[in-house]
Amino acid sequence: MTLSLGDGLGTGEQLVTVAAVLLGALTTHLTNYVMERSRHRRELLTRWDDRKLDAYGGYVDRVRAGIFLAVHLYEHREGIRRSERPDAEMVAEMAEAEWQRGRSFEQIMLLGGDDVVEAAHDLSAAVRAIDWQATGRTSGTLEEWRELHRAAFRAINDFHEAARTDLGVLGSVMGEKHPERDLLLPAARREGNQSSG
């Protein structure tokens, strides 16, 4: 079988066509691979963001629950508001809350970015100071007690800010649009405490 010049061009054209098809298939495969990999990364990031959001929210919930328990114990011990429950029961409940808060803190350590972890450390220290005054490990005046709470709420806001940044949430919980607020005290307590000092 002999090939003529016309058959050679046909074969060359066929080779170009086959090469173009192979190049197209390779390009399609690479594009699909890159898109699939990007989709997988987005899904993974979304899954981690969901876990972070749960961890961050759970930590703040446990912090606030611990503060609530500390307030009850402190008010009972200082005679501000008596409780029917014995001190030992309230202290045990605070210890359980502290343990739960510690477990939540571990999740922050595993999932949080650097700024979130540092904000969590600061918040933990602020809440620990409240716990210590509530249980009597440290002493202080009512105004010092309130300042501990102010510090804790500033630390909560700092934690919120760091968590929002880590999650890519736009906006801020602090600044001109959200001025710092003082403790919300009931009117009777606020008036009574202002007159007493």
Side-chain angles (χ1 to χ4, degrees):
M1 172 176 190
T2 59
L3 293 174
S4 66
L5 185 58
D7 290 338
L9 288 178
T11 303
E13 288 175 357
Q14 289 176 354
L15 287 175
V16 168
T17 303
V18 168
V21 168
L22 288 174
L23 182 62
L26 182 61
T27 303
T28 300
H29 175 73
L30 287 174
T31 302
N32 287 341
Y33 173 78
V34 168
M35 287 176 54
E36 184 64 24
R37 188 173 170 143
S38 293
R39 184 184 66 74
H40 179 68
R41 279 189 181 149
R42 277 192 307 276
E43 287 175 359
L44 197 59
L45 287 175
T46 300
R47 184 173 27 174
W48 284 117
D49 282 349
D50 288 346
R51 289 192 182 221
K52 284 181 180 183
L53 182 60
D54 290 343
Y56 298 167
Y59 179 64
V60 172
D61 283 347
R62 285 176 178 81
V63 163
R64 288 184 183 274
I67 290 171
F68 180 78
L69 293 170
V71 166
H72 280 288
L73 179 61
Y74 177 82
E75 289 181 346
H76 173 72
R77 286 189 165 183
E78 294 296 316
I80 297 169
R81 182 177 52 164
R82 290 310 229 175
S83 175
E84 302 282 323
R85 298 168 49 212
D87 282 11
E89 185 179 317
M90 289 189 279
V91 169
E93 196 172 20
M94 279 185 61
E96 173 66 21
E98 185 177 359
W99 184 77
Q100 292 292 337
R101 188 172 65 232
R103 289 186 64 210
S104 290
F105 183 82
E106 290 302 319
Q107 290 181 349
I108 301 301
M109 294 292 290
L110 291 170
L111 297 171
D114 291 344
D115 292 341
V116 175
V117 170
E118 284 308 308
H121 277 294
D122 293 343
L123 178 52
S124 182
V127 174
R128 197 171 305 112
I130 289 173
D131 287 354
W132 288 348
Q133 189 167 344
T135 58
R137 288 185 209 162
T138 61
S139 61
T141 65
L142 181 58
E143 188 50 43
E144 289 169 330
W145 170 252
R146 288 183 178 154
E147 187 50 43
L148 291 177
H149 285 269
R150 288 180 183 103
F153 289 118
R154 282 191 299 269
I156 288 171
N157 284 338
D158 290 344
F159 180 81
H160 283 149
E161 197 70 25
R164 288 169 62 92
T165 299
D166 191 46
L167 292 168
V169 176
L170 299 177
S172 175
V173 295
M174 300 184 299
E176 290 178 20
K177 291 189 177 192
H178 305 284
E180 187 173 328
R181 291 169 173 80
D182 200 8
L183 298 177
L184 299 175
L185 299 172
R189 276 198 203 159
R190 191 172 35 239
E191 290 164 9
N193 289 327
Q194 285 176 350
S195 63
S196 65

PDB file of all heavy atoms in Angstrom, residues 30-51:
ATOM      1  N   LEU A  30      -8.173  18.532  33.889  1.00  0.00           N
ATOM      2  CA  LEU A  30      -7.484  19.414  34.837  1.00  0.00           C
ATOM      3  C   LEU A  30      -8.444  20.457  35.413  1.00  0.00           C
ATOM      4  O   LEU A  30      -8.412  20.740  36.613  1.00  0.00           O
ATOM      5  CB  LEU A  30      -6.290  20.100  34.165  1.00  0.00           C
ATOM      6  CG  LEU A  30      -5.082  19.208  33.896  1.00  0.00           C
ATOM      7  CD1 LEU A  30      -4.018  19.958  33.103  1.00  0.00           C
ATOM      8  CD2 LEU A  30      -4.501  18.668  35.192  1.00  0.00           C
ATOM      9  N   THR A  31      -9.295  21.019  34.584  1.00  0.00           N
ATOM     10  CA  THR A  31     -10.276  22.006  35.056  1.00  0.00           C
ATOM     11  C   THR A  31     -11.226  21.370  36.062  1.00  0.00           C
ATOM     12  O   THR A  31     -11.491  21.950  37.122  1.00  0.00           O
ATOM     13  CB  THR A  31     -11.073  22.587  33.868  1.00  0.00           C
ATOM     14  OG1 THR A  31     -10.155  23.182  32.950  1.00  0.00           O
ATOM     15  CG2 THR A  31     -12.084  23.617  34.335  1.00  0.00           C
ATOM     16  N   ASN A  32     -11.724  20.185  35.742  1.00  0.00           N
ATOM     17  CA  ASN A  32     -12.617  19.483  36.676  1.00  0.00           C
ATOM     18  C   ASN A  32     -11.909  19.158  37.986  1.00  0.00           C
ATOM     19  O   ASN A  32     -12.489  19.293  39.071  1.00  0.00           O
ATOM     20  CB  ASN A  32     -13.161  18.208  36.046  1.00  0.00           C
ATOM     21  CG  ASN A  32     -14.203  18.488  34.991  1.00  0.00           C
ATOM     22  OD1 ASN A  32     -14.781  19.579  34.948  1.00  0.00           O
ATOM     23  ND2 ASN A  32     -14.428  17.521  34.119  1.00  0.00           N
ATOM     24  N   TYR A  33     -10.646  18.741  37.891  1.00  0.00           N
ATOM     25  CA  TYR A  33      -9.874  18.415  39.083  1.00  0.00           C
ATOM     26  C   TYR A  33      -9.704  19.650  39.969  1.00  0.00           C
ATOM     27  O   TYR A  33      -9.917  19.585  41.180  1.00  0.00           O
ATOM     28  CB  TYR A  33      -8.510  17.851  38.678  1.00  0.00           C
ATOM     29  CG  TYR A  33      -7.574  17.648  39.844  1.00  0.00           C
ATOM     30  CD1 TYR A  33      -7.723  16.548  40.683  1.00  0.00           C
ATOM     31  CD2 TYR A  33      -6.554  18.558  40.113  1.00  0.00           C
ATOM     32  CE1 TYR A  33      -6.867  16.350  41.767  1.00  0.00           C
ATOM     33  CE2 TYR A  33      -5.701  18.380  41.189  1.00  0.00           C
ATOM     34  CZ  TYR A  33      -5.858  17.279  42.005  1.00  0.00           C
ATOM     35  OH  TYR A  33      -5.020  17.099  43.070  1.00  0.00           O
ATOM     36  N   VAL A  34      -9.313  20.775  39.364  1.00  0.00           N
ATOM     37  CA  VAL A  34      -9.120  22.012  40.125  1.00  0.00           C
ATOM     38  C   VAL A  34     -10.440  22.481  40.741  1.00  0.00           C
ATOM     39  O   VAL A  34     -10.493  22.886  41.909  1.00  0.00           O
ATOM     40  CB  VAL A  34      -8.494  23.109  39.225  1.00  0.00           C
ATOM     41  CG1 VAL A  34      -8.546  24.469  39.894  1.00  0.00           C
ATOM     42  CG2 VAL A  34      -7.069  22.738  38.858  1.00  0.00           C
ATOM     43  N   MET A  35     -11.516  22.420  39.970  1.00  0.00           N
ATOM     44  CA  MET A  35     -12.826  22.845  40.489  1.00  0.00           C
ATOM     45  C   MET A  35     -13.289  21.940  41.627  1.00  0.00           C
ATOM     46  O   MET A  35     -13.805  22.413  42.632  1.00  0.00           O
ATOM     47  CB  MET A  35     -13.861  22.871  39.356  1.00  0.00           C
ATOM     48  CG  MET A  35     -13.647  24.036  38.399  1.00  0.00           C
ATOM     49  SD  MET A  35     -14.771  24.043  36.990  1.00  0.00           S
ATOM     50  CE  MET A  35     -16.347  23.955  37.772  1.00  0.00           C
ATOM     51  N   GLU A  36     -13.099  20.642  41.472  1.00  0.00           N
ATOM     52  CA  GLU A  36     -13.488  19.686  42.516  1.00  0.00           C
ATOM     53  C   GLU A  36     -12.666  19.901  43.780  1.00  0.00           C
ATOM     54  O   GLU A  36     -13.185  19.866  44.894  1.00  0.00           O
ATOM     55  CB  GLU A  36     -13.328  18.254  42.001  1.00  0.00           C
ATOM     56  CG  GLU A  36     -13.784  17.192  42.970  1.00  0.00           C
ATOM     57  CD  GLU A  36     -15.266  17.234  43.267  1.00  0.00           C
ATOM     58  OE1 GLU A  36     -16.045  17.741  42.443  1.00  0.00           O
ATOM     59  OE2 GLU A  36     -15.663  16.759  44.359  1.00  0.00           O
ATOM     60  N   ARG A  37     -11.393  20.140  43.599  1.00  0.00           N
ATOM     61  CA  ARG A  37     -10.521  20.394  44.744  1.00  0.00           C
ATOM     62  C   ARG A  37     -10.929  21.689  45.459  1.00  0.00           C
ATOM     63  O   ARG A  37     -10.972  21.744  46.685  1.00  0.00           O
ATOM     64  CB  ARG A  37      -9.074  20.457  44.277  1.00  0.00           C
ATOM     65  CG  ARG A  37      -8.112  20.525  45.396  1.00  0.00           C
ATOM     66  CD  ARG A  37      -6.706  20.409  44.869  1.00  0.00           C
ATOM     67  NE  ARG A  37      -5.786  20.717  45.932  1.00  0.00           N
ATOM     68  CZ  ARG A  37      -4.655  20.125  46.126  1.00  0.00           C
ATOM     69  NH1 ARG A  37      -4.281  19.176  45.302  1.00  0.00           N
ATOM     70  NH2 ARG A  37      -3.881  20.468  47.110  1.00  0.00           N
ATOM     71  N   SER A  38     -11.238  22.728  44.691  1.00  0.00           N
ATOM     72  CA  SER A  38     -11.697  23.993  45.277  1.00  0.00           C
ATOM     73  C   SER A  38     -13.016  23.800  46.024  1.00  0.00           C
ATOM     74  O   SER A  38     -13.207  24.337  47.111  1.00  0.00           O
ATOM     75  CB  SER A  38     -11.875  25.055  44.194  1.00  0.00           C
ATOM     76  OG  SER A  38     -10.650  25.407  43.634  1.00  0.00           O
ATOM     77  N   ARG A  39     -13.919  23.040  45.427  1.00  0.00           N
ATOM     78  CA  ARG A  39     -15.211  22.769  46.078  1.00  0.00           C
ATOM     79  C   ARG A  39     -14.991  22.013  47.382  1.00  0.00           C
ATOM     80  O   ARG A  39     -15.589  22.334  48.415  1.00  0.00           O
ATOM     81  CB  ARG A  39     -16.122  21.966  45.147  1.00  0.00           C
ATOM     82  CG  ARG A  39     -17.522  21.731  45.715  1.00  0.00           C
ATOM     83  CD  ARG A  39     -18.357  20.848  44.790  1.00  0.00           C
ATOM     84  NE  ARG A  39     -17.863  19.507  44.672  1.00  0.00           N
ATOM     85  CZ  ARG A  39     -17.971  18.553  45.608  1.00  0.00           C
ATOM     86  NH1 ARG A  39     -18.570  18.817  46.740  1.00  0.00           N
ATOM     87  NH2 ARG A  39     -17.489  17.352  45.415  1.00  0.00           N
ATOM     88  N   HIS A  40     -14.087  21.033  47.346  1.00  0.00           N
ATOM     89  CA  HIS A  40     -13.789  20.256  48.548  1.00  0.00           C
ATOM     90  C   HIS A  40     -13.192  21.156  49.639  1.00  0.00           C
ATOM     91  O   HIS A  40     -13.559  21.053  50.810  1.00  0.00           O
ATOM     92  CB  HIS A  40     -12.834  19.111  48.213  1.00  0.00           C
ATOM     93  CG  HIS A  40     -12.456  18.275  49.389  1.00  0.00           C
ATOM     94  ND1 HIS A  40     -13.349  17.458  50.038  1.00  0.00           N
ATOM     95  CD2 HIS A  40     -11.274  18.155  50.053  1.00  0.00           C
ATOM     96  CE1 HIS A  40     -12.737  16.863  51.059  1.00  0.00           C
ATOM     97  NE2 HIS A  40     -11.479  17.267  51.079  1.00  0.00           N
ATOM     98  N   ARG A  41     -12.285  22.057  49.249  1.00  0.00           N
ATOM     99  CA  ARG A  41     -11.700  22.989  50.221  1.00  0.00           C
ATOM    100  C   ARG A  41     -12.762  23.899  50.822  1.00  0.00           C
ATOM    101  O   ARG A  41     -12.748  24.169  52.019  1.00  0.00           O
ATOM    102  CB  ARG A  41     -10.610  23.831  49.564  1.00  0.00           C
ATOM    103  CG  ARG A  41      -9.305  23.131  49.460  1.00  0.00           C
ATOM    104  CD  ARG A  41      -8.238  24.100  49.010  1.00  0.00           C
ATOM    105  NE  ARG A  41      -6.967  23.431  48.887  1.00  0.00           N
ATOM    106  CZ  ARG A  41      -6.039  23.756  48.027  1.00  0.00           C
ATOM    107  NH1 ARG A  41      -6.231  24.748  47.195  1.00  0.00           N
ATOM    108  NH2 ARG A  41      -4.904  23.099  47.994  1.00  0.00           N
ATOM    109  N   ARG A  42     -13.646  24.407  49.968  1.00  0.00           N
ATOM    110  CA  ARG A  42     -14.726  25.271  50.481  1.00  0.00           C
ATOM    111  C   ARG A  42     -15.612  24.512  51.468  1.00  0.00           C
ATOM    112  O   ARG A  42     -15.993  25.037  52.504  1.00  0.00           O
ATOM    113  CB  ARG A  42     -15.575  25.817  49.328  1.00  0.00           C
ATOM    114  CG  ARG A  42     -15.008  27.040  48.659  1.00  0.00           C
ATOM    115  CD  ARG A  42     -16.023  27.699  47.740  1.00  0.00           C
ATOM    116  NE  ARG A  42     -16.618  26.809  46.765  1.00  0.00           N
ATOM    117  CZ  ARG A  42     -16.093  26.494  45.596  1.00  0.00           C
ATOM    118  NH1 ARG A  42     -14.929  26.985  45.240  1.00  0.00           N
ATOM    119  NH2 ARG A  42     -16.724  25.683  44.769  1.00  0.00           N
ATOM    120  N   GLU A  43     -15.952  23.267  51.123  1.00  0.00           N
ATOM    121  CA  GLU A  43     -16.761  22.454  52.029  1.00  0.00           C
ATOM    122  C   GLU A  43     -16.034  22.216  53.346  1.00  0.00           C
ATOM    123  O   GLU A  43     -16.627  22.281  54.416  1.00  0.00           O
ATOM    124  CB  GLU A  43     -17.120  21.115  51.381  1.00  0.00           C
ATOM    125  CG  GLU A  43     -18.160  21.209  50.304  1.00  0.00           C
ATOM    126  CD  GLU A  43     -18.398  19.876  49.611  1.00  0.00           C
ATOM    127  OE1 GLU A  43     -17.734  18.865  49.957  1.00  0.00           O
ATOM    128  OE2 GLU A  43     -19.248  19.839  48.701  1.00  0.00           O
ATOM    129  N   LEU A  44     -14.747  21.953  53.266  1.00  0.00           N
ATOM    130  CA  LEU A  44     -13.948  21.719  54.465  1.00  0.00           C
ATOM    131  C   LEU A  44     -13.883  22.984  55.322  1.00  0.00           C
ATOM    132  O   LEU A  44     -14.069  22.927  56.540  1.00  0.00           O
ATOM    133  CB  LEU A  44     -12.543  21.262  54.069  1.00  0.00           C
ATOM    134  CG  LEU A  44     -11.704  20.604  55.141  1.00  0.00           C
ATOM    135  CD1 LEU A  44     -12.403  19.371  55.686  1.00  0.00           C
ATOM    136  CD2 LEU A  44     -10.351  20.226  54.564  1.00  0.00           C
ATOM    137  N   LEU A  45     -13.646  24.132  54.679  1.00  0.00           N
ATOM    138  CA  LEU A  45     -13.614  25.394  55.419  1.00  0.00           C
ATOM    139  C   LEU A  45     -14.963  25.696  56.057  1.00  0.00           C
ATOM    140  O   LEU A  45     -15.036  26.143  57.198  1.00  0.00           O
ATOM    141  CB  LEU A  45     -13.198  26.546  54.497  1.00  0.00           C
ATOM    142  CG  LEU A  45     -11.730  26.578  54.110  1.00  0.00           C
ATOM    143  CD1 LEU A  45     -11.477  27.681  53.091  1.00  0.00           C
ATOM    144  CD2 LEU A  45     -10.856  26.774  55.337  1.00  0.00           C
ATOM    145  N   THR A  46     -16.034  25.437  55.330  1.00  0.00           N
ATOM    146  CA  THR A  46     -17.373  25.661  55.871  1.00  0.00           C
ATOM    147  C   THR A  46     -17.620  24.755  57.067  1.00  0.00           C
ATOM    148  O   THR A  46     -18.150  25.196  58.083  1.00  0.00           O
ATOM    149  CB  THR A  46     -18.445  25.412  54.782  1.00  0.00           C
ATOM    150  OG1 THR A  46     -18.206  26.307  53.703  1.00  0.00           O
ATOM    151  CG2 THR A  46     -19.839  25.613  55.329  1.00  0.00           C
ATOM    152  N   ARG A  47     -17.194  23.506  56.943  1.00  0.00           N
ATOM    153  CA  ARG A  47     -17.378  22.575  58.052  1.00  0.00           C
ATOM    154  C   ARG A  47     -16.584  23.041  59.275  1.00  0.00           C
ATOM    155  O   ARG A  47     -17.073  23.015  60.390  1.00  0.00           O
ATOM    156  CB  ARG A  47     -16.937  21.168  57.638  1.00  0.00           C
ATOM    157  CG  ARG A  47     -17.191  20.135  58.713  1.00  0.00           C
ATOM    158  CD  ARG A  47     -16.932  18.749  58.265  1.00  0.00           C
ATOM    159  NE  ARG A  47     -15.946  18.694  57.198  1.00  0.00           N
ATOM    160  CZ  ARG A  47     -15.458  17.571  56.702  1.00  0.00           C
ATOM    161  NH1 ARG A  47     -15.854  16.431  57.160  1.00  0.00           N
ATOM    162  NH2 ARG A  47     -14.565  17.587  55.729  1.00  0.00           N
ATOM    163  N   TRP A  48     -15.326  23.506  59.080  1.00  0.00           N
ATOM    164  CA  TRP A  48     -14.528  23.991  60.200  1.00  0.00           C
ATOM    165  C   TRP A  48     -15.108  25.286  60.754  1.00  0.00           C
ATOM    166  O   TRP A  48     -15.090  25.491  61.972  1.00  0.00           O
ATOM    167  CB  TRP A  48     -13.069  24.182  59.796  1.00  0.00           C
ATOM    168  CG  TRP A  48     -12.347  22.874  59.691  1.00  0.00           C
ATOM    169  CD1 TRP A  48     -11.792  22.337  58.576  1.00  0.00           C
ATOM    170  CD2 TRP A  48     -12.131  21.925  60.734  1.00  0.00           C
ATOM    171  NE1 TRP A  48     -11.243  21.115  58.862  1.00  0.00           N
ATOM    172  CE2 TRP A  48     -11.435  20.837  60.181  1.00  0.00           C
ATOM    173  CE3 TRP A  48     -12.464  21.878  62.079  1.00  0.00           C
ATOM    174  CZ2 TRP A  48     -11.059  19.727  60.933  1.00  0.00           C
ATOM    175  CZ3 TRP A  48     -12.084  20.768  62.826  1.00  0.00           C
ATOM    176  CH2 TRP A  48     -11.402  19.716  62.260  1.00  0.00           C
ATOM    177  N   ASP A  49     -15.619  26.149  59.889  1.00  0.00           N
ATOM    178  CA  ASP A  49     -16.255  27.379  60.366  1.00  0.00           C
ATOM    179  C   ASP A  49     -17.475  27.058  61.216  1.00  0.00           C
ATOM    180  O   ASP A  49     -17.715  27.701  62.237  1.00  0.00           O
ATOM    181  CB  ASP A  49     -16.643  28.295  59.199  1.00  0.00           C
ATOM    182  CG  ASP A  49     -15.456  29.058  58.641  1.00  0.00           C
ATOM    183  OD1 ASP A  49     -14.381  29.040  59.272  1.00  0.00           O
ATOM    184  OD2 ASP A  49     -15.608  29.677  57.567  1.00  0.00           O
ATOM    185  N   ASP A  50     -18.251  26.060  60.805  1.00  0.00           N
ATOM    186  CA  ASP A  50     -19.413  25.645  61.606  1.00  0.00           C
ATOM    187  C   ASP A  50     -18.965  25.157  62.982  1.00  0.00           C
ATOM    188  O   ASP A  50     -19.563  25.494  63.998  1.00  0.00           O
ATOM    189  CB  ASP A  50     -20.199  24.534  60.897  1.00  0.00           C
ATOM    190  CG  ASP A  50     -20.974  25.028  59.692  1.00  0.00           C
ATOM    191  OD1 ASP A  50     -21.133  26.267  59.544  1.00  0.00           O
ATOM    192  OD2 ASP A  50     -21.422  24.185  58.884  1.00  0.00           O
ATOM    193  N   ARG A  51     -17.913  24.372  63.000  1.00  0.00           N
ATOM    194  CA  ARG A  51     -17.398  23.869  64.284  1.00  0.00           C
ATOM    195  C   ARG A  51     -16.844  24.993  65.141  1.00  0.00           C
ATOM    196  O   ARG A  51     -17.018  25.024  66.349  1.00  0.00           O
ATOM    197  CB  ARG A  51     -16.339  22.803  64.053  1.00  0.00           C
ATOM    198  CG  ARG A  51     -16.967  21.534  63.520  1.00  0.00           C
ATOM    199  CD  ARG A  51     -15.994  20.416  63.559  1.00  0.00           C
ATOM    200  NE  ARG A  51     -16.625  19.247  62.995  1.00  0.00           N
ATOM    201  CZ  ARG A  51     -16.499  18.048  63.491  1.00  0.00           C
ATOM    202  NH1 ARG A  51     -15.760  17.844  64.549  1.00  0.00           N
ATOM    203  NH2 ARG A  51     -17.106  17.041  62.932  1.00  0.00           N
TER     204      ARG A  51
END
